[in-house]
Amino acid sequence: GTGTDVDVFYIVYQLAGGKDCWEIISIVPIEGDNSGVYEFHVTLSGEALAHSFGISTVDIYGNESSLSRTASVAGP
């Protein structure tokens, strides 16, 4: 978590191998004072393509942060 009480949810994005644009795969509500740990699990398709994930936050005013550093994994 960010440790701030103005953020209201996280948006989890995925960029699947071969695609040109990020897609939202989950919106995760922020709990309490947002100082805890958040986990997100996803099952990759059977394709052996790279998938990238990034996260942004949205505050109480509707402002979305820039995308976090991304993490990439390869399918099975």
Side-chain angles (χ1 to χ4, degrees):
T2 61
T4 178
D5 60 357
V6 298
D7 294 325
V8 290
F9 56 88
Y10 293 108
I11 300 177
V12 181
Y13 289 92
Q14 173 180 277
L15 181 64
K19 294 192 178 177
D20 292 332
C21 60
W22 291 91
E23 66 178 288
I24 295 172
I25 58 172
S26 186
I27 296 175
V28 181
I30 291 175
E31 300 173 1
D33 67 357
N34 190 28
S35 60
V37 175
Y38 291 83
E39 292 184 13
F40 181 78
H41 300 269
V42 63
T43 302
L44 299 177
S45 67
E47 301 172 18
L49 298 173
H51 289 70
S52 296
F53 298 91
I55 297 174
S56 67
T57 58
V58 177
D59 66 19
I60 59 175
Y61 307 106
N63 301 311
E64 184 174 357
S65 71
S66 57
L67 203 60
S68 67
R69 286 191 315 188
T70 60
S72 297
V73 296

